[in-house]
């Protein structure tokens, strides 16, 4: 359920007279307008954007651009039911040097959201500065409307407190004997007004309207009593929709928590049953260390050097004493560096539109996938390519910036590519399921250790040493595959639940 679209549908029904019933006892909007016209002074305020004398209100003629409304309603101009007032634009207009930490609110478009005014986002000016303003002072029931930039953002003044508007806003000062303020507010938020905004927008790089433009908006005007019923009906419906939206957000939170619970169960050995026929993790670790030692010896022999078997961070395997929690008997606590064939920083080179080979950056990774269309090229010597060449099931790790610690598994490689310097690569042999490692890197245990190892600077960052020292519960290889399969099955069901919320 798209709750925003549903709200818009309700508003569109409301301003067409289809949300409430029409009653003879309400009278007609025409009678209301005639009464108001007769009681008005012939002189109109010079502050209003309307050029027509307020002494008379003439309903708009029906034309093909106006939709059908009930017989006791009337099409009028917005300026017929309010004055449209600009803010002060003279020499007294507040500047940044006039802003205070407290005082009288000076409201701009950033304060307007969903028909409300968020005073916590307002600037403040002194009482002296406020008194010097010639225009733009707000009153209770005023509606504030954005004329430039964020066209159409609006909010209603809830009380009689002092305040003033910036030059990007205007004030709808309503004739309360004709209209209920909340009805006008909902009308402004409807697609009827949005379509009129597009029609009068000047089409420049900075979209803007004038007070005269908005004063000429066509307004479907019901009798005052029906306006009250419309507002009540809208608020009743919106309350129910907000409850649905709140439940949606609550469900999304539960889904997120469920994902973490699944990962937590997985690394505790409680997501799938253990099989006594599985080769224990202790034997698996011996195979991994032997494989790593052989690989290291081959590398060093090419350089005519001797070495002793070691992990990828040049540290012999050591038993972990301080374990975070108990795991099954055929599992084993190890360090991530003991399992990885390599933990390596990426290649540093400028991004280019063309070059020797593509280079994946942090910014090319979105929602755990590499967006290959954005991946640039780089220049790199042929003999360096094998060192940084990506392979399927490599895991990339962001080591700095706002995404520090996030990991990405390489599931597809449409073309040869290396990886950039702000990434760390970890690679695993056939005795480790790379997807199990990836899911570990989404678990609470991983993030807890990462926070402990991150360098606390203005730009948070982490390094390969921190990654290599991480403690990780290692299951038998067959159980790793069962765990991954169960996680993917569970996550698929949760993904479908989230899709159904949209």
């Amino acid at each position: 359920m798209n709750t925003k679209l549903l709200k818009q549908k309700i508003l569109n029904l409301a301003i067409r007279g289809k949300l409430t019933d029409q009653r003879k006892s309400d009278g007609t909007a025409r009678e209301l307008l005639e009464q108001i016209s007769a009681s008005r002074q012939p002189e109109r305020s010079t502050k209003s954007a309307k050029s027509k004398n307020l002494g008379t209100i003439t309903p708009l003629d029906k034309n093909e651009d106006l939709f059908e409304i009930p017989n006791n309603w009337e099409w009028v101009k917005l300026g017929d039911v309010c004055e449209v007032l600009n803010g002060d634009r003279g020499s007294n207009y507040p500047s940044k040097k006039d802003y205070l930490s407290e005082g009288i609110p000076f409201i701009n478009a950033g304060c307007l959201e969903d028909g409300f005014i968020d005073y916590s986002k307002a600037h403040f000016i002194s009482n002296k500065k406020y008194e010097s303003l010639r225009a733009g002072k707000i009153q209770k029931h005023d509606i504030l409307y954005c004329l430039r930039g964020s066209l159409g953002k609006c909010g209603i003044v809830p009380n009689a407190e002092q305040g003033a508007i910036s030059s990007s806003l205007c004030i709808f000062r309503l004739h309360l004997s004709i209209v209920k303020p909340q009805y006008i507010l909902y009308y402004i938020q409807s697609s009827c007004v949005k379509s009129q905004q597009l029609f009068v927008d000047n089409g420049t790089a900075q979209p803007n309207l004038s007070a005269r433009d908005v004063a000429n908006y066509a307004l479907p005007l019901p009798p005052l009593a029906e306006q009250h019923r419309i507002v009540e009906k809208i608020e009743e419906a919106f309350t129910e929709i907000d409850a649905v939206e709140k439940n949606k957000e609550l469900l999304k939170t539960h889904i997120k928590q469920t994902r973490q619970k699944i990962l937590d169960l997985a690394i505790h050995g409680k997501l799938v049953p253990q099989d006594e026929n599985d080769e224990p993790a202790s034997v698996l670790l011996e195979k991994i260390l032997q494989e790593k030692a052989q690989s290291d010896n081959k590398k060093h022999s090419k350089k005519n050097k001797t070495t002793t078997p070691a992990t990828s961070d040049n540290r012999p395997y050591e038993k972990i004493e301080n374990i975070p929690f108990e795991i099954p008997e055929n599992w084993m606590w190890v360090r991530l560096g003991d399992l990885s064939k390599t933990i390596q920083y990426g290649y540093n080179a400028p991004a280019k539109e063309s070059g020797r080979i593509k280079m994946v950056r942090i910014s090319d990774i979105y929602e755990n996938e590499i967006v290959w269309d954005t991946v640039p090229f780089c220049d790199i010597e042929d003999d360096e390519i094998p060192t940084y060449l990506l392979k399927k099931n490599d895991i990339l790790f962001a080591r700095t910036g706002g995404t520090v610690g996030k990991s990405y598994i390489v599931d597809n490689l449409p073309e040869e590519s290396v990886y950039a310097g702000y990434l760390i690569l970890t690679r695993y042999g056939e005795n480790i399921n790379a997807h199990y490692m990836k899911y570990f890197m989404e678990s609470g245990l991983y993030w807890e250790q990462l926070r402990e190892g991150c360098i606390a600077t203005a730009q948070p960052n982490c390094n390969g040493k921190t990654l290599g020292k991480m403690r990780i519960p290692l299951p038998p290889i067959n159980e790793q595959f069962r765990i991954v399969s169960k996680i993917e099955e569970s996550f698929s069901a949760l993904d479908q639940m989230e899709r159904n919320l949209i």
Side-chain angles (χ1 to χ4, degrees):
M1 180 191 296
N2 188 321
T3 52
K4 287 186 178 181
L5 287 179
L6 183 56
K7 283 187 174 183
Q8 194 58 231
K9 178 68 173 177
I10 289 170
L11 293 180
N12 289 336
L13 290 172
I15 64 171
R16 286 166 170 77
K18 297 180 179 180
L19 195 62
T20 53
D21 59 329
Q22 285 73 53
R23 301 174 184 174
K24 287 185 179 181
S25 58
D26 293 340
T28 67
R30 181 179 292 272
E31 292 170 347
L32 177 64
L33 296 175
E34 290 173 350
Q35 292 171 11
I36 298 303
S37 295
S39 65
R40 284 199 181 150
Q41 296 295 326
E43 297 294 331
R44 67 163 295 169
S45 169
T46 57
K47 294 182 181 179
S48 173
K50 239 167 46 65
S51 60
K52 184 175 60 176
N53 192 306
L54 276 180
T56 60
I57 296 178
T58 304
L60 297 178
D61 293 331
K62 291 183 178 180
N63 62 58
E64 59 183 10
D65 295 326
L66 303 179
F67 48 78
E68 290 293 327
I69 55 176
N71 291 333
N72 63 339
W73 291 31
E74 291 291 343
W75 279 105
V76 297
K77 291 182 179 180
L78 179 60
D80 290 327
V81 300
C82 70
E83 291 182 288
V84 184
L85 309 173
N86 286 312
D88 194 332
R89 302 182 184 184
S91 58
N92 291 326
Y93 185 79
S95 61
K96 288 184 179 179
K97 64 180 178 60
D98 298 309
Y99 296 159
L100 305 173
S101 58
E102 58 182 21
I104 296 175
F106 186 63
I107 302 164
N108 58 29
C111 305
L112 307 183
E113 197 66 45
D114 294 331
F116 297 95
I117 301 173
D118 186 350
Y119 287 93
S120 69
K121 296 180 180 179
H123 298 298
F124 295 92
I125 57 176
S126 67
N127 186 69
K128 181 178 179 181
K129 190 66 180 178
Y130 172 78
E131 292 297 337
S132 73
L133 297 176
R134 296 173 299 174
K137 297 178 180 179
I138 63 174
Q139 298 178 9
K140 184 177 180 179
H141 299 312
D142 281 350
I143 293 176
L144 311 186
Y145 184 84
C146 186
L147 296 172
R148 285 190 294 281
S150 303
L151 291 186
K153 288 183 70 176
C154 59
I156 191 167
V157 179
N159 48 48
E161 292 182 4
Q162 291 178 316
I165 60 169
S166 69
S167 60
S168 64
L169 306 181
C170 70
I171 296 171
F172 297 158
R173 183 149 296 156
L174 305 169
H175 304 304
L176 299 178
S177 57
I178 304 176
V179 290
K180 182 173 176 62
Q182 287 79 7
Y183 174 76
I184 299 300
L185 182 71
Y186 288 131
Y187 154 74
I188 293 168
Q189 294 176 293
S190 72
S191 61
C192 176
V193 166
K194 289 181 173 61
S195 63
Q196 295 182 74
Q197 287 171 7
L198 295 174
F199 182 75
V200 297
D201 173 17
N202 67 357
T204 62
Q206 174 76 345
N208 66 86
L209 303 169
S210 69
R212 185 176 298 276
D213 291 329
V214 297
N216 285 323
Y217 283 168
L219 166 69
L221 183 66
L224 188 57
E226 188 171 353
Q227 292 178 42
H228 282 266
R229 293 199 301 276
I230 288 171
V231 169
E232 289 175 2
K233 197 71 174 178
I234 291 174
E235 291 178 347
E236 177 185 328
F238 278 17
T239 298
E240 293 179 3
I241 293 171
D242 289 341
V244 171
E245 184 65 32
K246 184 177 180 180
N247 288 336
K248 280 174 57 178
E249 293 304 315
L250 185 60
L251 184 54
K252 286 180 181 179
T253 300
H254 286 326
I255 289 173
K256 184 177 180 180
Q257 292 172 343
T258 301
R259 288 179 187 274
Q260 282 302 310
K261 182 63 176 178
I262 290 169
L263 295 175
D264 186 57
L265 291 171
I267 65 172
H268 278 73
K270 297 179 180 179
L271 187 63
V272 297
Q274 282 71 54
D275 187 336
E276 61 181 14
N277 296 316
D278 288 343
E279 186 177 70
S282 57
V283 176
L284 178 63
L285 180 61
E286 290 179 7
K287 291 181 179 179
I288 293 170
L289 294 176
Q290 288 175 5
E291 180 184 23
K292 284 163 59 67
Q294 291 171 1
S295 176
D296 288 343
N297 285 331
K298 286 181 181 179
K299 290 178 183 178
H300 288 284
S301 65
K302 290 180 180 180
K303 298 180 181 180
N304 297 319
K305 293 181 180 180
T306 60
T307 185
T308 55
T311 61
S312 59
D313 57 352
N314 295 319
R315 171 185 52 77
Y317 171 72
E318 61 184 54
K319 184 177 180 181
I320 297 175
E321 300 292 343
N322 184 23
I323 61 173
F325 48 79
E326 293 296 327
I327 53 177
E329 289 184 1
N330 60 345
W331 288 37
M332 190 173 184
W333 279 103
V334 297
R335 297 194 187 273
L336 191 145
D338 294 327
L339 304 180
S340 61
K341 295 177 68 174
T342 183
I343 298 177
Q344 181 175 284
Y345 292 89
Y347 181 70
N348 289 306
K352 303 183 68 175
E353 292 185 5
S354 60
R356 171 66 181 84
I357 196 170
K358 285 203 166 185
M359 179 178 66
V360 175
R361 307 160 300 174
I362 291 176
S363 57
D364 301 315
I365 302 172
Y366 179 72
E367 292 187 350
N368 209 31
E369 291 186 2
I370 297 173
V371 184
W372 287 100
D373 291 342
T374 69
V375 177
F377 290 86
C378 72
D379 289 333
I380 182 172
E381 298 296 330
D382 287 351
D383 60 349
E384 287 193 277
I385 290 176
T387 303
Y388 301 99
L389 194 64
L390 285 173
K391 296 181 180 180
K392 185 176 174 60
N393 289 330
D394 284 346
I395 297 177
L396 296 173
F397 168 93
R399 67 183 179 93
T400 190
T403 59
V404 63
K406 292 198 72 173
S407 57
Y408 315 90
I409 191 163
V410 179
D411 276 332
N412 69 310
L413 276 168
E415 54 190 301
E416 286 190 333
S417 180
V418 297
Y419 57 103
Y422 287 116
L423 292 166
I424 299 176
L425 177 142
T426 64
R427 180 175 294 159
Y428 306 90
E430 62 182 12
N431 290 304
I432 290 291
N433 185 312
H435 286 271
Y436 173 77
M437 299 301 298
K438 174 65 178 74
Y439 286 126
F440 164 74
M441 291 182 183
E442 295 177 11
S443 71
L445 176 61
Y446 164 81
W447 285 105
E448 179 184 332
Q449 295 180 88
L450 185 83
R451 285 190 292 270
E452 292 173 356
C454 269
I455 300 172
T457 62
Q459 179 82 330
N461 65 87
C462 199
N463 54 41
K465 186 176 181 181
T466 296
L467 195 61
K469 285 185 175 181
M470 282 197 177
R471 296 161 296 177
I472 175 172
L474 178 66
I477 184 62
N478 288 339
E479 189 169 347
Q480 291 177 39
F481 278 92
R482 294 198 302 274
I483 288 171
V484 168
S485 178
K486 189 65 176 180
I487 290 174
E488 291 176 347
E489 176 189 336
S490 302
F491 279 15
S492 177
L494 293 173
D495 289 341
Q496 184 60 50
M497 288 179 64
E498 279 197 296
R499 286 192 292 270
N500 291 338
L501 293 175
I502 300 175

